[in-house]
């Protein structure tokens, strides 16, 4: 992971070379973010052109507390579809998030009938995360488990974002957080989601839907686009774009979903 | 996996409904392939419009030996990039291939610094596969291991295809099979591959290169496209297309690579 971050930082440096900012006696600086822009100085307030963070004065820098690394709990159930979670895991890891794997227990699970995965934590000992993420592949059935739903309910108010790919939306629905939200899911489960959660507005033919706190995506490969959107939302377009370049995912179309809230 | 195959078969059935073949006293049939077309009859020779297999006569059917399920050994090293292998694993599993995971030993490995994976086999006890597949993420370093290279050398002549994603190409290079081949790799490793294997013609800015037996792809997300191409090559466009639809990967562009041989 360190290697990946170094690569991202290098990419950011290369990108920065074309737009040299003022490096003399200036008053605005970028809040420390472990990128090359930590050493830059600006004459005007505004946003850092590299990491997109709001610039602060040198005086503010003395009392500045660096925000902690965003953490994401990936909940993986037995039978979870591999690309559902692997696409977002690639995106979030390359973008500098800290991802950990949670399952009902710490016993190995089998993804896609093939890949044996050892979870980092069970729902009994998982640390608090900033984002909870859920994925399809047996999602509709696994979401019937009350112990998992109770685990979500205990923390859904305190997390920053709830993210689902494919039939991972059924976990969020069972936890009661899809009421009055506009959402999507795997193309073959649209009707089932509608029937299961009639208070949600379920859309088809959309790559992701962003309600602000709750982001749901269409099936399988759409998780990649939803994750890139969340990176863009949290860290800005530059970081999301560099991640897509690193991944050679030039098929990414920023904003290719329904964005109902930018917060 | 069974569920996925059922879905694919259903999709094939839906697709078939628009083109009803003759179901009376006809002489040509599709070789058994576990799809809905197994029960269809045709009046003329040619290819099955569902699975794209060459039709045979009813007489030939009596002596017909069903081809075995194609098997693919995914070699995963410590530090393997998650999407490098997870994209192709999704594609091949949904398309009906049998995938198993091989590593140097059967001890768990960590992908992307995050995902703990238990291999099915070590290089000492892995069964023979029809296809060997290699992936990036520490690929260049891992490919220096002579025991792994010897494992590849022992079987490279007898397998049907050799497939690599990203810096997985270094495994094939070290095994000596890239000489006089046209190949590609991760965009940040193009020069390194050229220097390491000067007898290979290394191309940049191409999603995959198909030499016939040896298929190499660009980095990370390009493995999805390379895998769909291999599905199309082996089982025909219909199956690859249905797989991409199931995965909601409408960004797939068939043939978006350099195809030097159709065999």
């Amino acid at each position: 992971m360190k290697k990946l971050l170094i690569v991202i930082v290098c990419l950011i440096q290369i990108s920065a070379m074309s737009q040299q900012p003022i490096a003399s006696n200036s008053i605005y600086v970028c809040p420390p973010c472990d990128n090359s822009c930590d050493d830059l100085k600006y004459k005007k307030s505004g946003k850092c052109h590299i990491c997109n963070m709001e610039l602060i004065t040198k005086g503010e820098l003395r009392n500045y507390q660096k925000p902690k690394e965003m953490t994401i709990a990936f909940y993986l159930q037995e039978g979870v579809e591999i690309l559902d979670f692997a696409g977002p895991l690639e995106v979030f890891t390359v973008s500098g998030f800290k991802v950990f794997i949670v399952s009902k227990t710490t016993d190995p699970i089998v993804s896609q009938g093939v890949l044996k995965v050892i979870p980092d934590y069970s729902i009994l000992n998982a640390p608090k995360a900033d984002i909870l993420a859920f994925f399809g592949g047996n999602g509709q059935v696994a979401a019937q488990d009350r112990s998992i739903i109770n685990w979500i309910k205990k923390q859904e108010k305190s997390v920053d974002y709830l993210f689902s790919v494919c039939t991972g939306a059924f976990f969020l629905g069972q936890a009661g957080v899809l009421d009055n939200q506009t959402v999507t899911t795997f193309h073959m489960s649209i009707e089932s989601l509608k029937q299961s959660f009639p208070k949600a507005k379920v859309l088809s033919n959309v790559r992701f839907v962003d309600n602000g706190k709750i982001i749901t995506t269409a099936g399988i490969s759409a998780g990649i686009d939803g994750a890139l959107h969340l990176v863009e939302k949290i860290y800005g377009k530059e970081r999301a774009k560099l991640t897509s370049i690193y991944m050679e995912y030039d098929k990414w179309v920023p904003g290719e979903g329904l964005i109902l809230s930018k917060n």
Side-chain angles (χ1 to χ4, degrees), chain A residues 11-33:
Chain A
L11 283 168
I12 287 170
Q13 282 173 329
I14 291 163
S15 160
M17 286 169 74
S18 59
Q19 304 174 58
Q20 287 296 337
I22 302 120
S24 59
N25 298 324
S26 306
I27 46 167
Y28 287 92
V29 292
C30 175
C33 65

Side-chain angles (χ1 to χ4, degrees), chain A residues 4-223:
Chain A
L4 291 171
L5 286 176
I6 289 164
V7 169
I8 282 289
V9 170
C10 289
L11 283 168
I12 287 170
Q13 282 173 329
I14 291 163
S15 160
M17 286 169 74
S18 59
Q19 304 174 58
Q20 287 296 337
I22 302 120
S24 59
N25 298 324
S26 306
I27 46 167
Y28 287 92
V29 292
C30 175
C33 65
D34 291 334
N35 289 324
S36 59
C37 43
D38 282 2
D39 298 326
L40 300 181
K41 296 178 184 73
Y42 293 79
K43 273 190 176 169
K44 289 179 185 171
S45 64
K47 288 195 171 188
C48 172
H49 73 286
I50 294 178
C51 71
N52 210 34
M53 289 171 81
E54 200 69 42
L55 298 175
I56 55 174
T57 63
K58 274 197 154 188
E60 288 169 331
L61 182 61
R62 284 180 215 115
N63 302 315
Y64 181 79
Q65 286 199 316
K66 191 178 164 186
K68 66 177 182 1
E69 190 180 31
M70 290 284 278
T71 54
I72 312 187
F74 270 43
Y75 182 84
L76 304 190
Q77 67 278 8
E78 179 68 26
V80 65
E81 189 93 4
I82 177 87
L83 190 54
D84 275 37
F85 75 90
L89 196 155
E90 175 77 36
V91 170
F92 290 129
T93 308
V94 170
S95 300
F97 291 71
K98 186 179 175 188
V99 180
F100 55 84
I101 310 297
V102 184
S103 195
K104 187 174 180 182
T105 71
T106 50
D107 291 341
I109 56 141
V110 183
S111 169
Q112 202 99 351
V114 176
L115 192 77
K116 298 183 191 83
V117 172
I118 307 172
D120 298 314
Y121 302 101
S122 75
I123 53 173
L124 296 178
N125 67 2
K128 206 174 165 304
D130 302 307
I131 303 170
L132 295 185
F134 300 89
F135 308 94
N138 198 31
Q140 198 164 344
V141 175
Q144 304 291 329
D145 190 321
R146 295 314 302 174
S147 63
I148 296 157
I149 300 308
N150 288 338
W151 177 73
I152 302 170
K153 281 184 169 179
K154 266 186 213 165
Q155 49 188 328
E156 57 91 359
K157 284 196 173 57
S158 65
V159 299
D160 294 335
Y161 301 101
L162 293 161
F163 179 80
S164 75
V165 176
C166 201
T167 56
F170 284 84
F171 289 99
L172 300 182
Q174 291 291 355
V177 299
L178 295 191
D179 291 358
N180 308 313
Q181 300 286 308
T182 306
V183 299
T184 194
T185 187
F186 183 47
H187 65 287
M188 296 171 89
S189 300
I190 293 283
E191 287 309 314
S192 176
L193 193 71
K194 278 183 187 171
Q195 286 165 21
S196 301
F197 311 108
K199 289 182 183 169
K201 185 178 176 188
V202 182
L203 302 183
S204 57
N205 297 314
V206 62
R207 204 108 182 113
F208 65 81
V209 182
D210 178 358
N211 295 271
K213 179 170 176 171
I214 296 172
I215 297 116
T216 56
T217 85
I220 311 180
S221 68

Side-chain angles (χ1 to χ4, degrees), chain A residues 233-249:
Chain A
K233 187 178 167 102
I234 295 172
Y235 289 119
K237 189 170 276 180
E238 184 72 8
R239 194 178 294 199
K241 192 179 164 193
L242 291 172
T243 299
S244 73
I245 290 169
Y246 179 80
M247 290 168 57
E248 303 205 21
Y249 188 52

